[in-house]
Amino acid sequence: MNIAQLMKLSYDEVAKCNKCGFCLPNCPVYLAEGKESSAPRGRNATTRAVIEGRLQWSPEIEKAIFSCLGCGACTAACFPKVQTKDLVFRDRECLVTEGLYPKIADRVARFLEEQHNISNDDNEERSEWQEMIKDIPEEALNKDRAEVIFFVGCVASFFPMAQKIPVNMSKIMHRAGVDFTVLGGEEWCCGFPLIGAGMPDKVKALMEHNLAKVKDVGAKAIVFTCPSCYHTWKHLYQPEVKLFHASQMLNDLIRDGKVTLKERKIKVTYHDPCDLGRNSGVFEEPRQVLKSIPGLTLVELASNRQLSTCCGGGGNVEMVNPELSAKVAAMKLEQIALTGADMVVSSCQQCLRTIATRAKRQKMDLVVKDLTELVFEAME
Amino acid sequence: MERGELLTSLKDIVGEENVLSSEMDLALYGYDASLERGKPDVVVLPGSTEDVSKVVKLAYRAKIPVIGRGSGTNLSGGTVPVKGGIVVHFSHMNRIIEIDIPNRTVTVEPGVITLDLQNTILKKGLQYAPDPASQKVSTLGGNFGENSGGPHCLKYGVTTNHVLGAEVVLFDGTVVWLGGKSPDQASYDITGLLVGSEGTLAIATKIMLKIIPTPEAVKTMLAIYDSIEDAGNTVSAIIAEGIVPATLEMMDNLVLKAVEDSVHAGYPMDAAAVLIIELDGMADGMERQAGKILEICKRHRVRDVRLAKSDAERAELWAGRKGAFGAVARLRPSYLVCDGTVPRTKLPEVLGKVIQIAKKYDLPIGNVFHAGDGNLHPLILFDERNKEELARVHKAATEILQICADVGGTISGEHGIGTEKLKEMSFIFSESDMHFMRDIKSAFDPVGIWNPGKVIPQRQAANA
Ligand SMILES: Cc1cc2nc3c(=O)[nH]c(=O)nc-3n(C[C@H](O)[C@H](O)[C@H](O)COP(=O)(O)OP(=O)(O)OC[C@H]3O[C@@H](n4cnc5c(N)ncnc54)[C@H](O)[C@@H]3O)c2cc1C
Ligand code: SF4
Ligand code: SF4
Ligand code: SF4
């Protein structure tokens, strides 16, 4: 993307930023670094200055623009609702054109092109987690046609720490009698990492493949455990079928009596993943699910729902600037500690990873669980 | 001093990662929430008083300007480096150093966010009274620099009434403590002089503030009017009765509509104006006072008075009021807030004139203000990218301030002078007044390093 195109797409939006600064205390990156260039207001001012020819793209701008988590917390605090994260992602497209971007992104782009997943493994290995399931026959998970497709996502497919998410979700759906299938090697990455990397034009091939698969299976709905996949399908793919995040499906299953839960005397807090809560508007269903577990006490984080603080795992920052990602995760842990909960529950494999990894590094005694895991354990 | 040498010396003081000097960084520290723009030579993020003292000492020797910066939300260009220099951004100096409950004081570093302090001490049943609408982002250093006010300052006073003392760095880097925990000081009230001086006399590195117990009871009312005059007259009548509510805020129709669109607090979209009247204090006697206010409202043809029934309802009303500038900003990309003060009895007259100015310059102007203090905030809406419109905006703003001065008011309520209102200083100060101010300034700042180009107009500009 060049500056003329950027001007066409971003100028009116960025001009709405009146520099009031209300977004500053909401932005985890600004809080961690304390520099105007990490603040949403600063990012907008940079975009504007480039459009107006007062600044040229530079390595400093690259570093700043690629340090945004894409969490959207700034917009939640902003009265004119300036879409800073979209503006940042568009800046990244320009920076990619200029050759100013973290080169690790090229590797990811190549993996996605060649293997269709982010970890550069043979895509057939997407089903590796199924080996952890003993009591469901393979055919029951891998059908040619089904009502529902379970879109597992790269992280949960390939990273051992997150594999229990599809395991638990499959077990729950199987027991509840949902007619579902996974796509195995035919599931390609949704393309979300490419959007954050400033390479959205490369998403097309992935999207076309995935949409064709939905037709093949004849599915009426797709369920996602990954909020970012869910968000990408909902906002970019926009297929004709129904889209559910796992928390929404669990809530329906519980409501319809297909999943019943036994008592768990625990005190938990819930972390709203950015792409599920703020960016997709799913706040209540995961809470409803938690509240359906008898004996469970839910204590809210001081910053919850629209104001939830990112776990540090968004916007490819973990890949590009792991130190910053860790700082944000540490802030999140402080907030969690203040709730006095024994356990933090999220509904995203990425949050699970960032929070659990940070807690371990800091030797913090904290149980981190995905909603699917907690539900499965509480099932009758 | 040569640039390379300056940067090296600064890096030696605060560490390499805390010195920002790229073109991007300089552009990003060239603005604040006003329409002004400038460019510093370099930005530093100090971690301690010692850092600040060393930076200032260096600046003094090299005769380079120093500009303190909190969150950069001031509305008058107070943090815009008009003559280059070193911006000292206090984002890393944000610790609450002491909460002294028996003496009811807190000591903070300047980068502490106003609302963070409030939330911390509220848990202990205490509060810091000044509540600028920007409290969730403004810093206490910035509040100190601007002598900020807020809705509750009608009853409790503005920032200066709550600053007990401060550790400040003087022009040559010397660190001194002014004031302290005891209410009366043996010497000059220099703290009082520094509060509101917009970083033009010294820089504060620690601030000691007075805190008070939270009130036993609070009652928040929304009075709805079909005419802006009636609302204005209610304000003077309440004060004339000898009642001092905690707040007496007013919003006109343009602002109301924008606020309701964004927060959905139940503000009536068709009203000409509303007042937010809050009472606080002892539960005893509050009913009677509320009854009296109701009666005054009725006398002035109020359409309806609603009482906030819960804390949540009250919080919503305030979220609307505190987000008013931002909400209005949704209508057009840019806004300019005029900040004039007039005697309360002149409110209806001045509001009428503001409406005329809006017509004359063909600009939407909304009104939201601290009515109890007579502190107006006409908000002029426009698009900064349209140069012709921008020129009209500046003319309209000057004319509004002229009107405030003409009726015996002043050109600033709480947002300071900065660079934005330099030219209007002559509306209220004579050349000898300003001469005196310049003398004070040079006593604190013999070589002219402190935030130059702010507050006091240059001699020739004032004569012109
Ligand atoms: C939407 C909006 C609403 C607002 N509402 C109000 C309101 O209701 N009431 C009100 O009074 N103001 C209001 N303001 C203005 C502004 O928020 C206040 O002036 C606030 O005090 C500025 O704080 P800051 O941290 O942003 O300071 P900055 O803007 O960074 O600095 C303000 C001034 O203080 C000086 N300064 C900063 N730190 C120090 C220090 N350590 N020592 C000495 N001087 C220092 C700076 O040099 C500058 O001159 C509002 C602004 C906005 C954008
Ligand atoms: S992005 Fe929104 S909240 Fe942040 S400075 Fe701009 S207008 Fe204010
Ligand atoms: S999206 Fe998140 S990280 Fe990026 S600027 Fe906004 S608040 Fe900061
Ligand atoms: S969002 Fe999910 S599928 Fe998409 S890239 Fe991430 S893990 Fe892969």
Side-chain angles (χ1 to χ4, degrees):
Chain A
M1 186 178 291
N2 61 33
I3 291 182
Q5 287 163 312
L6 184 72
M7 175 150 182
K8 209 161 149 233
L9 294 169
S10 291
Y11 199 27
D12 283 342
E13 185 65 20
V14 82
K16 289 198 313 201
C17 172
N18 53 56
K19 305 190 260 83
C20 71
F22 274 44
C23 51
L24 265 63
N26 263 37
C27 173
V29 180
Y30 177 70
L31 293 180
E33 302 197 320
K35 293 189 269 189
E36 186 71 18
S37 60
S38 355
R41 177 177 67 183
R43 302 184 193 290
N44 290 334
T46 304
T47 306
R48 184 164 181 172
V50 169
I51 291 175
E52 291 178 350
R54 288 180 285 115
L55 273 182
Q56 314 290 315
W57 296 120
S58 66
E60 289 83 16
I61 297 183
E62 174 198 327
K63 186 155 187 269
I65 291 295
F66 278 92
S67 77
C68 168
L69 298 157
C71 70
C74 43
T75 309
C78 170
F79 277 93
K81 292 280 168 265
V82 177
Q83 303 293 321
T84 303
K85 124 176 132 60
D86 297 346
L87 293 166
V88 162
F89 286 0
R90 229 172 268 140
D91 288 352
R92 290 185 184 177
E93 284 184 60
C94 291
L95 286 161
V96 168
T97 309
E98 297 287 316
L100 290 165
Y101 62 100
K103 296 303 172 302
I104 190 169
D106 281 336
R107 282 181 47 208
V108 174
R110 186 162 49 78
F111 297 167
L112 293 191
E113 209 167 335
E114 291 170 1
Q115 306 286 6
H116 315 306
N117 64 61
I118 54 166
S119 58
N120 201 25
D121 286 313
D122 185 337
N123 208 37
E124 287 304 321
E125 316 234 321
R126 266 199 197 264
S127 303
E128 195 186 59
W129 54 271
Q130 294 185 14
E131 287 162 22
M132 291 156 74
I133 302 181
K134 302 285 175 241
D135 45 354
I136 307 176
E138 209 183 312
E139 318 82 73
L141 296 174
N142 306 277
K143 303 179 189 162
D144 290 336
R145 298 189 67 80
E147 289 274 309
V148 179
I149 292 174
F150 172 22
F151 195 90
V152 180
C154 304
V155 173
S157 297
F158 292 101
F159 293 78
M161 199 171 176
Q163 281 174 336
K164 54 188 170 190
I165 295 176
V167 169
N168 288 315
M169 187 65 190
S170 301
K171 286 182 177 170
I172 297 169
M173 286 194 289
H174 183 72
R175 272 214 228 163
V178 179
D179 172 24
F180 76 100
T181 182
V182 299
L183 297 174
E186 289 301 329
E187 177 184 311
W188 290 8
C189 172
C190 68
F192 175 75
L194 292 166
I195 302 172
M199 305 173 176
D201 42 320
K202 293 198 160 89
V203 179
K204 203 165 161 243
L206 301 168
M207 170 164 130
E208 279 169 3
H209 170 88
N210 285 328
L211 284 171
K213 283 299 135 196
V214 176
K215 286 238 159 62
D216 291 352
V217 175
K220 296 201 183 63
I222 311 174
V223 64
F224 304 86
T225 40
C226 168
S228 302
C229 299
Y230 172 69
H231 183 264
T232 305
W233 279 73
K234 197 170 157 185
H235 293 89
L236 188 71
Y237 286 27
Q238 302 187 343
E240 313 252 288
V241 301
K242 280 195 86 164
L243 304 176
F244 288 96
H245 180 260
S247 58
Q248 297 173 308
M249 179 180 264
L250 292 176
N251 191 38
D252 288 354
L253 292 173
I254 294 167
R255 184 198 56 206
D256 299 343
K258 299 205 169 106
V259 167
T260 46
L261 303 164
K262 55 178 188 261
E263 182 166 278
R264 293 281 321 260
K265 279 215 178 330
I266 37 172
K267 191 164 147 195
V268 307
T269 188
Y270 176 69
H271 161 65
D272 287 283
C274 310
D275 274 340
L276 185 63
R278 196 161 38 230
N279 298 341
S280 301
V282 180
F283 296 110
E284 297 315 318
E285 292 92 331
R287 291 180 166 79
Q288 281 306 323
V289 170
L290 288 172
K291 287 179 194 158
S292 336
I293 300 178
L296 180 144
T297 319
L298 173 64
V299 267
E300 292 285 359
L301 284 152
S303 302
N304 61 62
R305 295 185 172 83
Q306 281 293 354
L307 299 179
S308 166
T309 307
C310 177
C311 67
N316 296 0
V317 170
E318 194 198 6
M319 178 171 84
V320 176
N321 190 344
E323 215 178 293
L324 171 61
S325 170
K327 266 196 212 167
V328 175
M331 280 166 30
K332 186 81 214 185
L333 286 183
E334 268 177 44
Q335 296 183 6
I336 293 170
L338 285 177
T339 64
D342 324 310
M343 183 195 294
V344 55
V345 179
S346 182
S347 10
C348 171
Q349 73 297 326
Q350 180 66 4
C351 310
L352 180 83
R353 256 170 40 123
T354 9
I355 298 175
T357 310
R358 191 72 227 150
K360 211 160 129 194
R361 291 256 162 83
Q362 289 183 199
K363 301 197 166 50
M364 177 170 162
D365 198 14
L366 177 73
V367 183
V368 190
K369 281 197 177 158
D370 189 78
L371 189 65
T372 48
E373 184 177 358
L374 188 65
V375 167
F376 182 72
E377 287 170 357
M379 268 171 89
E380 299 272 345
Chain B
M1 190 181 281
E2 193 242 322
R3 182 170 172 79
E5 195 188 335
L6 173 68
L7 296 186
T8 319
S9 318
L10 289 171
K11 284 174 188 170
D12 285 344
I13 300 171
V14 293
E16 175 140 20
E17 66 286 5
N18 293 317
V19 176
L20 313 176
S21 61
S22 74
E23 277 304 310
M24 171 192 73
D25 288 310
L26 303 186
L28 299 187
Y29 284 92
Y31 60 74
D32 50 31
S34 72
L35 297 171
E36 310 290 309
R37 201 188 286 150
K39 189 176 168 187
D41 293 309
V42 57
V43 180
V44 296
L45 313 176
S48 65
T49 302
E50 201 189 343
D51 284 356
V52 180
S53 157
K54 285 181 182 160
V55 168
V56 172
K57 193 179 279 173
L58 181 77
Y60 170 61
R61 287 213 201 104
K63 294 201 171 56
I64 305 171
V66 177
I67 302 108
R69 181 178 173 106
S71 294
T73 68
N74 77 86
L75 293 160
S76 51
T79 44
V80 171
V82 285
K83 299 193 174 149
I86 306 171
V87 166
V88 180
H89 184 194
F90 284 107
S91 57
H92 291 336
M93 285 178 67
N94 57 359
R95 284 156 290 225
I96 297 174
I97 298 165
E98 184 196 61
I99 303 178
D100 179 350
I101 294 180
N103 286 308
R104 302 254 166 87
T105 68
V106 290
T107 306
V108 298
E109 289 185 326
V112 171
I113 289 179
T114 315
L115 190 62
D116 285 352
L117 170 68
Q118 187 71 308
N119 288 337
T120 308
I121 59 177
L122 273 179
K123 288 181 206 144
K124 304 178 196 294
L126 293 159
Q127 64 172 348
Y128 170 67
D131 57 343
S134 52
Q135 68 190 152
K136 67 176 267 203
V137 50
S138 76
T139 64
L140 289 160
N143 295 166
F144 178 97
E146 297 288 348
N147 191 14
S148 298
H152 287 80
C153 294
L154 173 62
K155 175 167 173 183
Y156 294 99
V158 290
T159 302
T160 193
N161 305 109
H162 301 264
V163 178
L164 293 169
E167 177 191 80
V168 301
V169 175
L170 303 177
F171 67 92
D172 60 352
T174 311
V175 181
V176 296
W177 248 108
L178 306 169
K181 288 186 185 174
S182 56
D184 187 28
Q185 297 301 319
S187 172
Y188 302 125
D189 178 15
I190 303 175
T191 323
L193 180 59
L194 293 187
V195 177
S197 66
E198 303 185 30
T200 62
L201 302 178
I203 256 187
T205 44
K206 289 194 183 79
I207 305 171
M208 184 183 285
L209 300 163
K210 184 163 84 184
I211 52 178
I212 54 175
T214 45
E216 184 183 301
V218 181
K219 210 181 215 14
T220 311
M221 294 173 268
L222 182 71
I224 303 163
Y225 289 86
D226 292 320
S227 116
I228 205 162
E229 285 76 28
D230 286 339
N233 288 328
T234 305
V235 172
S236 5
I238 290 176
I239 306 279
E241 286 275 336
I243 305 172
V244 185
T247 77
L248 202 38
E249 299 283 301
M250 183 156 154
M251 296 195 268
D252 75 0
N253 179 266
L254 186 145
V255 175
L256 267 178
K257 278 199 294 208
V259 163
E260 185 56 23
D261 269 341
S262 71
V263 300
H264 312 293
Y267 282 113
M269 306 274 263
D270 60 340
V274 297
L275 295 176
I276 309 177
I277 310 168
E278 188 163 284
L279 295 172
D280 71 6
M282 309 285 265
D284 221 24
M286 192 169 275
E287 277 313 320
R288 213 183 50 240
Q289 229 180 26
K292 229 170 167 181
I293 288 178
L294 194 66
E295 197 184 291
I296 298 171
C297 292
K298 282 195 183 136
R299 229 191 292 145
H300 292 92
R301 288 173 291 276
V302 72
R303 184 207 292 177
D304 190 13
V305 179
R306 292 185 201 158
L307 193 68
K309 286 181 217 65
S310 62
D311 281 352
E313 259 185 53
R314 172 172 179 259
E316 260 172 19
L317 285 181
W318 280 117
R321 164 59 189 93
K322 293 201 172 157
F325 292 177
V328 171
R330 306 192 329 162
L331 306 177
R332 296 295 309 275
S334 325
Y335 64 81
L336 181 103
V337 194
C338 309
D339 172 39
T341 305
V342 300
R344 276 181 295 267
T345 48
K346 302 280 184 186
L347 271 177
E349 176 190 337
V350 172
L351 285 173
K353 288 193 174 151
V354 170
I355 293 168
Q356 281 167 20
I357 292 176
K359 287 216 185 86
K360 174 171 166 195
Y361 289 100
D362 189 23
L363 292 164
I365 303 187
N367 280 291
V368 43
F369 51 96
H370 311 309
D373 293 324
N375 183 192
L376 303 170
H377 289 326
L379 278 158
I380 313 179
L381 307 181
F382 60 104
D383 187 338
E384 202 187 346
R385 293 174 295 177
N386 180 341
K387 295 299 163 223
E388 180 274 328
E389 201 176 34
L390 181 63
R392 270 187 282 140
V393 169
H394 283 302
K395 280 197 196 129
T398 303
E399 220 165 287
I400 289 172
L401 293 179
Q402 181 73 62
I403 290 168
C404 295
D406 288 350
V407 300
T410 179
I411 59 167
S412 169
E414 55 185 21
H415 298 167
I417 302 299
T419 54
E420 206 161 84
K421 287 198 279 195
L422 276 179
K423 58 184 181 308
E424 286 91 0
M425 283 290 274
S426 62
F427 294 177
I428 46 171
F429 294 111
S430 69
E431 182 47 33
S432 51
D433 293 340
M434 285 193 270
H435 187 73
F436 176 58
M437 287 185 238
R438 280 185 208 109
D439 281 349
I440 292 176
K441 162 89 173 157
S442 48
F444 278 86
D445 189 16
V447 297
I449 60 162
W450 290 129
N451 206 0
K454 310 290 165 68
V455 187
I456 315 172
Q458 299 226 320
R459 205 171 305 264
Q460 53 280 38
N463 287 339

